[in-house]
Amino acid sequence: MNQILKLVDYRGELGRLAYFSRSIYRIPLMIAVIAINFGLNLLIGYPPSVELFQTSLSDPLVTVMSLVFFLPLTIRRANDAGISFWWVIIFEILYLVLEPSEEMVSYGIYTLLVTIPYLVWCLIIVFKPGKALREHRRSNAT
């Protein structure tokens, strides 16, 4: 039970390397959730197809579980990088905006307003130095 609570703990800080490694550890959990969702759709009676797998990825169960697994990590990483909690919330809401099909006119607007800012956010959260690096630089400067 303690391991499960540790999985969703959002308190504290998390360095870049720990953020990356813990994200890698959670990927098999997400693959299991996607497989379970795909299996449940097959049990309901949907025929197996690529379209069913793609809709499984955007299913609410998969979305909620991805937030449960990855949101605490992002919050802890933002704490370490000195980024406000509200920026995490804004970009996670932005991530939840449904993507239009490529044939629609709004696809370009979606790319400009959602995809590019979310990509920039991911790069900032991964590459912005945290407190450990700042303290190391301060100790070397004196």
Side-chain angles (χ1 to χ4, degrees):
M1 181 68 172
N2 192 20
Q3 293 290 4
I4 294 172
L5 292 177
K6 195 174 184 181
L7 186 70
V8 295
D9 188 19
Y10 63 89
R11 295 168 296 184
E13 299 167 349
L14 199 62
R16 290 183 283 188
L17 187 58
Y19 175 73
F20 184 70
S21 65
R22 291 183 185 178
S23 295
I24 295 297
Y25 292 142
R26 283 172 165 78
I27 289 174
L29 293 172
M30 281 308 301
I31 290 172
V33 168
I34 291 168
I36 289 169
N37 190 32
F38 185 73
L40 290 174
N41 284 330
L42 289 177
L43 284 175
I44 292 173
Y46 292 114
S49 65
V50 174
E51 290 82 20
L52 178 62
F53 182 73
Q54 289 173 344
T55 56
S56 295
L57 293 176
S58 62
D59 195 79
L61 171 71
V62 175
T63 302
V64 167
M65 292 310 291
S66 71
L67 287 174
V68 166
F69 291 150
F70 291 101
L71 189 61
L73 286 180
T74 307
I75 291 171
R76 291 176 68 194
R77 176 67 190 123
N79 287 340
D80 184 54
I83 299 171
S84 173
F85 169 78
W86 292 107
W87 284 109
V88 176
I89 298 300
I90 288 169
F91 280 101
E92 290 303 323
I93 290 171
L94 190 64
Y95 170 72
L96 295 175
V97 173
L98 294 176
E99 181 178 1
S101 65
E102 291 184 16
E103 297 86 30
M104 297 179 69
V105 177
S106 61
Y107 187 75
I109 296 170
Y110 176 84
T111 302
L112 285 175
L113 296 179
V114 175
T115 306
I116 293 173
Y118 194 76
L119 177 65
V120 170
W121 165 252
C122 291
L123 291 174
I124 288 171
I125 212 70
V126 169
F127 291 114
K128 186 172 181 190
K131 289 183 181 179
L133 182 63
R134 287 192 299 265
E135 290 172 3
H136 175 71
R137 286 183 180 168
R138 284 183 193 142
S139 68
N140 286 343
T142 58

